Amino acid sequence: MLGEVIKLIKRSDLIVEVLDAREPSLTRSKKIEDISIKNGKKILLILNKGDLVPLWVLKAWKDYFKEEENIESVYMSATSHLGTKLLRDTMKSILKGDKGIVVFVGYPKSGKSSIINALKGKHSAQTSAHPLEYGYTKSLQLFKIDKKIYAWDTPGVIPPDGDELEKIIRGSNVDLLEDPVKPALILINRIIEFSKESLIHVYKVDFSNPYELLEKIAIKRGWFYKSTKEPNIDMAAKAIIRDYHEGKIAYYTLPPSLYRDD
Ligand SMILES: Nc1nc2c(ncn2[C@@H]2O[C@H](COP(=O)(O)OP(=O)(O)O)[C@@H](O)[C@H]2O)c(=O)[nH]1
Ligand SMILES: [Mg+2]
């Protein structure tokens, strides 16, 4: 799967890495960025799902990437169609008016397809797909973003890696989880670190620990195990992970520079 991403990177001029604005650090792939740099490609970061994060936080991340790492970034909300013009203009300026091919890469659920759809929307110059100039493949198509800019309409999906928390934040498929409860508890603990209120707001229940939140969600929704009649926390766990991936839970983390006390 990683091989597919690398192939796409090699055939592109600009690599646009799509991050979740709630967890920019955890949704970045240094591996993919290193591969891109080694192949002489330009990189742009997108902080997507920007609607879930305060504006000052988005700006702080953008400044952090620029000042600490000299990487360009833009923030946007693909599903609200906010920031698509700035994204298009930024890609144009990075490619300096030259002809170029863009690939959107990122972990699952970061919003790559939503961004591609937003760019293909009514504001885009043209929506028809173009066959490749070299090595024509049926499944791989380019669409036009601007006068001289094209993008692959197939995004580069980075397989979720890392520890249990990272895998969930990086979009691991809920339906393939053997036990959804443990990762859900880890995810809830992570969110509580930054905003317990966001969970109370989404699920309309108060709770004193992550396990209790799962139980209360199950009870509220009438989910019980048939055998024991206990609250079905497996279903609640899947629901919360799915809601997280679908961008229904708002909270933010800050760039490392803002956590230092210098
Ligand atoms: N709140 C919010 N949700 C988003 C945004 N972009 C995508 N999503 C949601 O995140 C989920 C994954 O999006 P998708 O485009 O399929 O991600 P992909 O796997 O990277 O292609 C979907 O449920 C989208 O509706 C966004 O800007 N804001
Ligand atoms: Mg997709």
Side-chain angles (χ1 to χ4, degrees):
M1 223 158 117
L2 198 64
E4 297 299 309
V5 189
I6 295 169
K7 259 188 239 166
L8 277 167
I9 288 173
K10 288 186 172 164
R11 295 167 83 166
S12 308
D13 305 294
L14 172 61
I15 316 306
V16 182
E17 190 185 9
V18 182
L19 312 180
D20 185 323
R22 292 170 294 182
E23 295 278 6
S25 286
L26 292 187
T27 49
R28 259 180 99 177
S29 169
K30 279 280 157 58
K31 200 192 269 175
I32 286 301
E33 290 177 28
D34 288 345
I35 290 166
S36 304
I37 292 164
K38 277 204 193 91
N39 282 279
K41 312 298 182 180
K42 300 177 166 94
I43 298 176
L44 170 66
L45 303 179
I46 294 182
L47 296 154
N48 187 43
K49 307 195 183 180
D51 52 295
L52 302 175
V53 168
L55 190 57
W56 71 268
V57 175
L58 297 169
K59 287 180 174 161
W61 276 104
K62 186 179 165 69
D63 291 347
Y64 167 79
F65 288 131
K66 184 72 198 161
E67 283 155 26
E68 306 272 328
E69 305 201 31
N70 199 26
I71 302 186
E72 296 298 327
S73 65
V74 295
Y75 46 80
M76 69 179 296
S77 170
T79 46
S80 317
H81 286 250
L82 292 171
T84 39
K85 184 181 185 303
L86 183 67
L87 170 62
R88 195 180 281 116
D89 291 347
T90 307
M91 293 189 290
K92 225 156 73 174
S93 85
I94 292 174
L95 290 168
K96 299 194 173 74
D98 296 334
K99 197 156 178 273
I101 295 178
V102 177
V103 63
F104 293 92
V105 301
Y107 286 113
K109 305 290 179 181
S110 53
K112 301 173 297 299
S113 300
S114 304
I115 291 171
I116 289 170
N117 284 337
L119 286 169
K120 282 179 168 177
K122 57 181 189 294
H123 300 293
S124 86
Q126 217 174 304
T127 54
S128 60
H130 292 252
L132 272 179
E133 294 161 53
Y134 37 86
Y136 177 71
T137 317
K138 258 189 190 152
S139 61
L140 268 186
Q141 297 217 296
L142 292 166
F143 70 94
K144 193 167 187 170
I145 287 182
D146 207 88
K147 249 181 251 149
K148 296 175 179 169
I149 307 179
Y150 292 82
W152 295 114
D153 106 351
T154 309
V157 183
I158 308 169
D161 50 4
D163 62 28
E164 274 188 292
L165 173 68
E166 289 167 333
K167 283 207 188 96
I168 285 300
I169 299 271
R170 294 171 178 167
S172 276
N173 188 340
V174 211
D175 297 315
L176 302 179
L177 293 174
E178 246 176 69
D179 166 28
V181 174
K182 195 166 165 232
L185 294 175
I186 293 171
L187 178 65
I188 294 165
N189 269 319
R190 172 73 177 180
I191 300 168
I192 289 173
E193 259 181 70
F194 301 98
S195 173
K196 185 185 172 191
E197 298 68 44
S198 69
L199 290 168
I200 296 175
H201 175 77
V202 173
Y203 298 104
K204 309 274 187 276
V205 290
D206 200 359
F207 57 96
S208 50
N209 62 64
Y211 195 86
E212 190 181 278
L213 175 60
L214 292 183
E215 284 188 328
K216 286 195 170 176
I217 291 172
I219 293 167
K220 207 169 172 194
R221 299 188 180 180
W223 295 336
F224 297 92
Y225 295 113
K226 282 206 183 84
S227 49
T228 59
K229 310 278 187 277
E230 292 291 313
N232 189 332
I233 54 168
D234 284 80
M235 281 181 75
K238 282 188 184 176
I240 205 165
I241 294 170
R242 206 168 276 131
D243 288 344
Y244 181 81
H245 288 156
E246 291 177 358
K248 291 175 184 157
I249 302 170
Y251 70 96
Y252 62 87
T253 56
L254 292 172
S257 53
L258 290 187
Y259 286 123
R260 288 201 302 256
D261 16 286
D262 55 26

